[in-house]
Amino acid sequence: QVQLVESGGGLVQPGGSLRLSCAASGNIFSIKAMGWYRQAPGKQRELVAAITKGGSTNYADSVKGRFTLSRDNAKNTVYLQMNSLKPEDTAVYYCNAMISTGWSSSFYDYWGQGTQVTVSS
């Protein structure tokens, strides 16, 4: 059993900052990558940022220069620092991880329950 537990969402004014955390726990053998997706009302879920075990990062163009994703491999945790937030960043943010539960097991996608981020004055 694998769980992803998210924290850090909330309401913030435009230009403000929030920090999201996601911790993976359970029967984890290896984590290939972790990251965040978001889904706004009426829109498809989209990648925000992802980071590999080796530390390579990938960001959506819309958040480059404003969001920073970091990872603590020892704690199986990722942190998304979101600065200069805009109303269009409002969405439910979902943590995602590609996890293997055994030496011979394939990697599968796991998802958190989602955390609401609202940017509004």
Side-chain angles (χ1 to χ4, degrees), residues 23-96:
S25 63
N27 185 26
I28 298 171
F29 178 76
S30 179
I31 301 178
K32 180 180 289 187
M34 295 184 73
W36 290 90
Y37 287 70
R38 67 186 181 187
Q39 188 167 19
K43 295 187 177 181
Q44 289 187 332
R45 189 173 297 190
E46 62 176 0
L47 173 70
V48 177
I51 186 167
T52 67
K53 187 175 183 179
S56 297
T57 54
N58 181 34
Y59 293 94
D61 288 343
S62 59
V63 307
K64 285 180 180 177
R66 300 188 297 123
F67 292 10
T68 302
L69 183 64
S70 59
R71 177 172 175 172
D72 185 335
N73 288 335
K75 296 181 178 179
N76 291 334
T77 299
V78 290
Y79 307 95
L80 183 66
Q81 179 66 42
M82 305 186 292
N83 299 328
S84 302
L85 282 160
K86 305 175 181 180
E88 50 263 45
D89 294 317
T90 296
V92 178
Y93 284 67
Y94 296 92
C95 180
N96 169 266

Side-chain angles (χ1 to χ4, degrees), residues 17 19 21 44 49 54 75 81 84 98 117 120-121:
S17 299
R19 188 192 194 210
S21 299
Q44 289 187 332
K75 296 181 178 179
Q81 179 66 42
S84 302
M98 295 181 64
V117 172
S120 175
S121 55

